[in-house]
């Protein structure tokens, strides 16, 4: 049995590699078109049929294999559409290969349940090893039920434990290996494509005028201008004339440079700017933009080579990019609390609103502010009030970071939280988590025995956005709920349109 499982696992890993190659030019996501996700589901479904053909046969009608793994991967890659399509194809293959019978119908029903469950659990989370472990565990519970039902009605009850042990161990270990290999293939293709796009964009920005010019005849330098002499760190032209240009290319890219020059010479490639590393006469390594084109020198075929030293520019570009990134980050942060500011909130909410409207998913906003803050500010001073705002902002941010939710300072002592793909009930739980976290801080409020500690009031609103409506609609609803929380005694959460609340 173990040998049969290993054969099934080998087919799984191999077929994942093939599917990865098929989709190398098409980054598949749960947000991809339904046609693309359905096509992926077909591929994973055929993979499941292949695994059934080489499955572990326990008797004439009962088989076990790893066909649930393609469904799990389909769910992570393409969401519910891919998962359900792959499950339907596997069901058709199961009944088609082994005929309609009790032993076929039970696994088929459970395969459909695996497709639906995995698609729902994966949602739009993307692909990860942790998510695979969750989907595999859920799937194997269904598979175990099918094995138990089939073997329990036959004379193979004594094999249930051993079959399930092999199945669970191999499904987990081989599945992780397969998913890791599949992830590596997909990410490698994506990195290569991004690199190619980045290089193409960069080359379009290159100016045409080079710093140095030289002529090659039979790979030897027969002419070089003064700028070329300085570029290669030579004292005079005589040090360079007659030398092979390839002496100056870095060993790592010498063969590439030679191939490129030969392709230009024989008309197999068009002149273009390429980036190369050179090693100068004094051992200094520089990065240049190099262009090679055919020419005639003293009546003979030759190559015209132009070089531009971009070492300094590379350093400057890197420093500039770092400075721009820092400036962008600072422009989006509130100077007092260190969390996002109102400007960043407006940008984030607009995008979250648009995405939720397109995907018909819920979007929630929590508005909260500090109770009796003006009185606190008057009695403790502005520095004390600022410190309270910083502490509460960091505390709320720490709560929301558990799920990467967004928080910003809305203005004054008021804050706003944006929760994507979160409905009213879950948003209420997050709001209460913030309220109780602030309460646990026990920040002293010395003006009243009735309110010994600083507290916050929260209002929330949740809906599925309409693309034609403004996102400020959600803020207005949450703000009304916040005012209701204030009116009902503070230190509580109120959901818009609901009387639900929690008092501290």
């Amino acid at each position: 049995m173990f040998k049969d499982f290993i054969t099934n696992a080998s087919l799984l890993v191999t077929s994942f590699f093939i599917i990865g190659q098929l989709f190398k030019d098409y980054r598949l996501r749960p947000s991809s078109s339904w046609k693309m996700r359905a096509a992926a589901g077909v591929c994973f479904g055929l993979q499941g049929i292949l695994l059934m053909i080489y499955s572990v046969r326990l008797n004439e009608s009962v088989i076990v294999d790893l066909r649930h793994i393609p469904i799990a991967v389909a769910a992570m890659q393409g969401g519910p559409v891919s998962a359900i399509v792959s499950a339907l194809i596997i069901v058709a293959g199961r009944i088609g290969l082994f005929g309609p019978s009790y032993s076929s119908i039970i696994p088929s029903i459970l395969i459909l349940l695996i497709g639906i469950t995995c698609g729902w659990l994966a949602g739009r989370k993307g692909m990860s090893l942790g998510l695979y472990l969750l989907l595999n565990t859920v799937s194997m519970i269904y598979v175990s039920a099918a094995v138990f039902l089939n073997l329990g009605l036959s004379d193979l009850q004594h094999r249930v434990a051993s079959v399930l042990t092999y199945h669970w161990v191999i499904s987990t270990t081989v599945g992780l290996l397969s998913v890791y290999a599949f992830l590596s293939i997909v990410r490698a293709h994506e990195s290569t494509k991004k690199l190619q796009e980045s290089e193409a964009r960069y080359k379009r920005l290159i100016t045409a005028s080079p710093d140095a010019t030289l002529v090659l005849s039979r790979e030897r330098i027969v002419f070089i201008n003064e700028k070329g002499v300085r570029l290669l760190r030579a004292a005079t032209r005589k040090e360079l004339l007659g030398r092979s240009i390839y002496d100056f290319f870095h060993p790592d890219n010498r063969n590439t440079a030679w191939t490129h020059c030969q392709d230009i010479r024989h008309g197999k490639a068009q002149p273009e700017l390429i980036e190369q590393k050179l090693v100068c006469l004094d051992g200094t390594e520089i990065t240049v933009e190099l262009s090679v084109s055919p020419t005639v020198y003293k009546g003979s075929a030759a190559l015209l080579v132009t070089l531009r030293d971009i070492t300094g520019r590379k350093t400057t570009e890197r420093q500039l990019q770092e400075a721009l990134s820092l400036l962008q980050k600072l422009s989006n942060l509130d100077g007092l609390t260190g969390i996002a500011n109102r400007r960043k909130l407006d940008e984030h909410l607009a995008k979250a609103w648009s995405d939720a409207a397109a995907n018909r998913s819920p979007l929630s906003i929590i508005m909260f502010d500090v109770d009796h803050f003006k009185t606190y500010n008057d009695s403790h001073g502005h520095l004390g009030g600022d410190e309270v705002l910083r502490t509460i902002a960091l505390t709320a941010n720490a709560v929301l970071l558990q799920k990467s939710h967004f928080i910003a300072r809305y203005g004054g002592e008021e804050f706003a939280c944006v929760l994507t793909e979160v409905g009213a009930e879950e948003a209420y739980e997050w709001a209460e988590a913030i309220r109780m976290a602030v309460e646990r801080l026990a920040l002293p409020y010395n003006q009243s025995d009735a309110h010994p500690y600083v507290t916050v009031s929260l209002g929330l609103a949740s809906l599925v956005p309409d693309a034609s409506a403004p996102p400020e609609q959600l803020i207005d609803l949450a703000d009304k709920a916040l005012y209701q929380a204030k009116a009902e005694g503070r230190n509580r959460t109120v959901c818009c349109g609901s009387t639900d609340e929690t008092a501290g």
Side-chain angles (χ1 to χ4, degrees):
M1 184 193 311
F2 181 76
K3 182 179 178 181
D4 293 333
F5 265 123
I6 294 301
T7 300
N8 211 240
S10 301
L11 285 170
L12 180 72
V13 175
T14 304
S15 54
F16 268 137
F17 177 81
I18 295 172
I19 294 175
Q21 294 296 322
L22 288 175
F23 285 89
K24 67 178 181 179
D25 294 326
Y26 307 96
R27 182 69 171 98
L28 187 62
R29 297 180 175 88
S31 59
S32 299
S33 69
W34 71 268
K35 291 182 179 179
M36 182 67 69
R37 287 178 285 161
V42 171
C43 289
F44 288 114
L46 294 176
Q47 183 187 26
I49 292 176
L50 177 65
L51 295 175
M52 279 191 290
I53 294 175
Y54 294 93
S55 60
V56 180
R57 187 179 291 275
L58 302 179
N59 60 25
E60 293 182 357
S61 58
V62 180
I63 62 171
V64 290
D65 48 58
L66 303 175
R67 81 193 82 141
H68 68 281
I69 296 180
I71 298 177
V73 176
M76 292 188 288
Q77 278 279 282
V81 171
S82 296
I84 294 173
V85 168
S86 61
L88 288 172
I89 291 177
I90 290 174
V91 166
R94 178 67 170 91
I95 297 176
L97 288 172
F98 300 94
S101 64
Y102 175 84
S103 298
S104 295
I105 297 301
I106 292 298
S108 297
I109 294 173
L110 292 174
I111 281 292
L112 282 175
L113 289 175
I114 289 174
I116 294 170
T117 305
C118 288
W120 175 71
L121 289 175
R124 303 176 64 83
K125 298 182 179 67
M127 197 166 182
S128 67
L129 296 180
L131 180 58
Y132 168 74
L133 285 176
L134 171 63
L135 300 185
N136 181 67
T137 301
V138 173
S139 300
M140 282 303 301
I141 292 173
Y142 285 121
V143 171
S144 299
V147 172
F148 182 81
L149 289 173
N150 279 330
L151 295 186
L153 297 177
S154 67
D155 57 350
L156 299 174
Q157 298 95 330
H158 62 285
R159 300 186 63 185
V160 171
S162 61
V163 169
L164 290 180
T165 299
Y166 278 126
H167 209 168
W168 275 87
V169 171
I170 293 178
S171 172
T172 302
T173 55
V174 174
L176 282 173
L177 175 63
S178 302
V179 171
Y180 178 79
F182 189 74
L183 266 173
S184 299
I185 293 170
V186 170
R187 288 171 179 171
H189 289 320
E190 187 174 25
S191 298
T192 300
K193 189 172 183 179
K194 286 182 178 179
L195 179 60
Q196 291 171 345
E197 293 172 352
S198 176
E199 289 176 348
R201 287 193 301 268
Y202 182 72
K203 288 176 181 178
R204 286 194 294 268
L205 299 176
I206 295 174
T207 56
S209 178
D211 290 333
T213 303
L214 55 90
V215 177
L216 303 179
S217 178
R218 297 181 180 178
E219 322 307 337
R220 302 284 173 177
I221 300 173
V222 294
F223 170 83
I224 186 168
N225 64 1
E226 189 60 34
K227 291 181 179 179
V229 174
R230 292 198 299 269
L231 178 72
L232 296 176
R233 310 294 196 272
T236 65
R237 285 188 177 88
K238 290 183 179 180
E239 292 184 72
L240 302 172
L241 294 177
R243 296 193 58 164
S244 171
I245 185 62
Y246 303 114
D247 292 344
F248 298 97
F249 283 104
H250 193 280
D252 290 346
N253 54 19
R254 188 171 294 159
N255 291 337
T256 303
W258 183 87
T259 301
H260 179 70
C261 289
Q262 297 307 310
D263 288 343
I264 293 291
R265 183 189 299 276
H266 296 103
K268 296 180 180 180
Q270 295 297 317
E272 61 175 332
L273 286 170
I274 62 173
E275 193 174 300
Q276 294 285 337
K277 283 185 178 180
L278 299 184
V279 181
C280 301
L281 283 178
D282 62 358
T284 303
E285 292 187 8
I286 62 173
T287 303
V288 299
E289 286 175 348
L290 176 146
S291 177
V292 182
S293 58
T295 189
V296 176
Y297 184 74
K298 294 185 178 180
S300 300
L303 292 177
L304 177 68
V305 180
T306 56
L307 305 170
R308 171 183 293 176
D309 186 357
I310 59 171
T311 306
R313 193 178 79 191
K314 282 281 190 181
T315 302
T316 302
E317 286 177 352
R318 185 178 66 253
Q319 293 172 344
L320 179 60
Q321 185 59 47
E322 292 172 353
L324 288 174
S325 298
L326 178 60
L327 180 62
Q328 180 65 31
K329 182 179 179 181
L330 292 175
S331 69
N332 289 328
L333 295 181
D334 176 61
L336 175 64
T337 61
I339 63 175
N341 57 21
R342 176 66 178 273
R343 173 174 172 271
K344 183 61 177 177
L345 170 65
D346 292 340
E347 292 178 1
H348 184 86
L349 178 58
K351 185 177 186 306
W353 183 273
S354 176
D355 291 346
N359 300 322
R360 303 304 299 159
S361 59
L363 181 67
S364 299
I365 278 191
I366 301 171
M367 301 287 292
F368 71 92
D369 69 4
V370 183
D371 295 329
H372 305 289
F373 182 73
K374 185 179 184 304
T375 305
Y376 185 96
N377 220 20
D378 292 341
S379 61
H380 291 77
H382 291 295
L383 292 179
D386 289 348
E387 185 59 33
V388 164
L389 291 179
R390 275 192 293 268
T391 302
I392 290 178
L394 293 175
T395 300
N397 190 41
V399 171
L400 296 176
L401 277 178
Q402 299 175 48
K403 289 293 183 180
S404 300
H405 292 314
F406 179 85
I407 182 172
R409 186 182 180 191
Y410 190 73
E413 70 272 22
E414 195 167 7
F415 300 87
C417 313
V418 181
L419 289 69
T420 55
E421 297 185 354
V422 170
E425 291 185 5
E426 186 179 347
Y428 186 89
E429 294 176 1
W430 283 107
E432 278 295 280
I434 293 173
R435 186 187 67 79
M436 290 187 289
V438 173
E439 205 172 37
R440 284 194 296 270
L441 292 174
L443 299 173
Y445 186 97
N446 300 323
Q447 297 300 305
S448 170
D449 293 337
H451 303 286
Y453 301 116
V454 174
T455 59
V456 293
S457 297
L458 306 96
L460 70 91
S462 179
L463 51 75
V464 176
D466 180 353
S468 63
E472 289 77 16
Q473 170 187 342
L474 194 56
I475 291 181
D476 291 341
L477 292 173
D479 210 34
K480 290 177 181 176
L482 172 58
Y483 278 109
Q484 184 180 343
K486 292 286 189 182
E488 294 178 2
R490 295 181 169 82
N491 190 22
R492 63 193 62 219
T493 298
V494 170
C495 181
C496 180
S498 171
T499 58
D500 293 341
E501 61 185 36
T502 298

